Amino acid sequence: MNNKMQNLRDEIILRSGVNPSKCMACGKCSATCPAYNEMEYHPHQFVSMVKSGDIEPLLASDSLYKCLTCFACVDRCPRGVEPAKLVEAVRLAAIRQQGANHLKPDMVPDMLDDDMPQQAIVSAFRKYTK
Amino acid sequence: MKASYFPGCTLKNKATHLDIYARKCADVLGVTLEEIEEWQCCGGVFTTSKDEVATKLSSVRALKEAKAKNQPLITVCSACHNVIKQTNHAMEDTQFADKVNRYMGEDAYDGSATVYHYLEMLRDLVGFDKIKEKVVNPLTGKKIGAYYGCLLLRPNKVMQMDDPENPQIMEDFIRAIGAEPVVYAYRNECCGGYIAMEDPQSAKKKSNRVTECAQIAGAEMIVTACPLCKYNLVKNGSELPVIYFTELLAEALGVKEVSNE
Ligand code: SF4
Ligand code: SF4
């Protein structure tokens, strides 16, 4: 792990409050994850890859935007690891970079329909932009 | 009884029924809801990251106002409830609260307000027995599937509403208004609402699983507290009507015309 990755790893762990070393690799988080099929890297891989500092592939992966923020992995992990918090911390590391917002305001009009609740729009901005 | 009330952005716009009937029913049940002055949108998603301060401020302002009035804070929308309750919990951490309180003016806030979802208000402050007594139009024979989704129940450590794997509060509510609850497997799984803009196909798959499962179990309608769940389930072709719980309550209490659904 180079210095930059070491720093990023420490930052992600600090921000998320997650201790990936508690993980016993049982896979329950990924088994219960409703976004499993859409994700290239699954919740248990976020845990193991952050632990080993292999963060670059995660930063570049669409998996960051496929997580539903449903907290199923948080509640069902037998070790209290809370993988969703790592997914969020890595996503923040990605979108906080200059010009890296995943959702841009001019993309929104095409996504709307007459019934879409405000909640959908504010949530998307909260999750995908900085 | 007086309580502070946080309606949220969607209840003022696409989900006005959720709001209007919440207020009407509270009147009947003897709860005066005082809307938080100049409340601001909760943001729709709780950010768990410990360095996310600005995204917590609107919730903290609402919590602080309720606390100052010594009232419980009542929410109706599942997402507002999740965000505000998780924010309240985050404020119990003094290190984090210090950062937030730099934006809070003179009086610091310490996470000591109590937050109730409207369903919890019905169960814990009013009582389902009392509601039963007030029902003038029981929904006898209606088979209703409660849809909890994720936001009301998780993370359970913080939300503490009910057993997250086998919740009862909405089924008890359904019984209180004279109808018959239908329990089905996906009632506490995510409908994918948060991803409705980002990946509509993914949202469709998740929501169809919920509605098909409720239908197979024999439900005639689905009841929810979440505008985004309702939108997502309906948009993706639910064959069952999806109704806000406050509408059903209003029907049972006789403050809404009986629907034909
Ligand atoms: S919070 Fe995200 S990663 Fe965790 S189970 Fe839900 S969709 Fe999967
Ligand atoms: S459920 Fe928990 S312990 Fe099991 S693999 Fe996932 S994070 Fe690790």
Side-chain angles (χ1 to χ4, degrees), chain A residues 29 32-36 39 43 66-74 83-84 87:
Chain A
C29 51
T32 201
C33 173
Y36 183 90
M39 285 172 121
K66 299 296 179 188
C67 165
L68 309 170
T69 318
C70 73
F71 294 106
C73 57
V74 170
V87 178

Side-chain angles (χ1 to χ4, degrees), chain A residues 14-17 32 34-38 62 65-76 82 84-86 88-89 91-92 96 102-103 108 111-128 130, chain B residues 9-10 13-15 41-52 54-56 77 79 82-83 86 150-151 153-157 164-165 188-190 192-199 202 205-206 209 226-228 231 235:
Chain A
L14 193 70
R15 257 188 228 146
S16 64
T32 201
Y36 183 90
N37 287 333
E38 285 82 21
D62 233 21
Y65 313 105
K66 299 296 179 188
C67 165
L68 309 170
T69 318
C70 73
F71 294 106
C73 57
V74 170
D75 267 18
R76 292 172 187 157
E82 309 192 315
K85 295 187 176 178
L86 278 186
E88 187 200 288
R91 186 170 61 235
L92 283 172
R96 280 177 183 173
H102 181 68
L103 178 72
V108 172
M111 297 171 154
L112 300 181
D113 63 55
D114 285 349
D115 300 319
M116 187 175 274
Q118 286 64 36
Q119 188 189 351
I121 306 159
V122 294
S123 302
F125 274 104
R126 176 141 298 175
K127 281 182 70 170
Y128 303 136
K130 267 294 140 201
Chain B
C9 65
T10 307
N13 205 311
K14 295 285 181 198
C41 171
C42 74
V45 186
F46 178 72
T47 44
T48 58
S49 192
K50 292 180 191 305
D51 59 354
E52 278 287 318
T55 50
K56 312 287 197 308
C77 167
N82 189 283
V83 173
Q86 290 212 68
C150 33
L151 292 166
L153 300 169
R154 293 193 287 265
N156 179 51
K157 198 169 76 184
E165 302 301 349
N188 62 333
E189 298 299 335
C190 179
Y194 275 151
I195 209 156
M197 285 174 80
E198 165 73 18
D199 186 345
S202 167
K205 273 195 274 175
K206 321 292 175 245
R209 255 199 316 235
C226 180
L228 189 49
Y231 164 80
K235 188 187 166 209

Side-chain angles (χ1 to χ4, degrees), chain B residues 113-125:
Chain B
T114 16
V115 185
Y116 288 86
H117 186 266
Y118 198 96
L119 283 163
E120 293 174 307
M121 177 194 93
L122 297 178
R123 179 188 64 190
D124 304 335
L125 301 179

Side-chain angles (χ1 to χ4, degrees), chain B residues 56-98:
Chain B
K56 312 287 197 308
L57 297 178
S58 63
S59 296
V60 172
R61 287 195 187 104
L63 287 158
K64 193 176 155 184
E65 185 176 321
K67 175 70 189 173
K69 288 167 117 182
N70 230 340
Q71 294 174 345
L73 180 59
I74 311 287
T75 58
V76 186
C77 167
S78 302
C80 296
H81 183 64
N82 189 283
V83 173
I84 292 175
K85 187 131 184 188
Q86 290 212 68
T87 303
N88 205 28
H89 178 77
M91 290 298 287
E92 289 172 17
D93 171 349
T94 47
Q95 235 183 334
F96 180 73
D98 277 350

Side-chain angles (χ1 to χ4, degrees), chain B residues 204-222:
Chain B
K204 183 174 170 60
K205 273 195 274 175
K206 321 292 175 245
S207 60
N208 287 354
R209 255 199 316 235
V210 172
T211 50
E212 282 161 17
C213 197
Q215 200 169 6
I216 291 166
E220 295 161 9
M221 63 163 74
I222 292 172

Side-chain angles (χ1 to χ4, degrees), chain A residues 18-20 22-32 43-45 47-48 72-74 76-84 86:
Chain A
V18 169
N19 175 3
K22 285 201 302 193
C23 171
M24 61 180 182
C26 67
K28 199 173 176 188
C29 51
S30 293
T32 201
H44 75 283
Q45 289 168 297
V47 177
S48 62
C73 57
V74 170
R76 292 172 187 157
C77 166
R79 300 276 297 150
V81 175
E82 309 192 315
L86 278 186

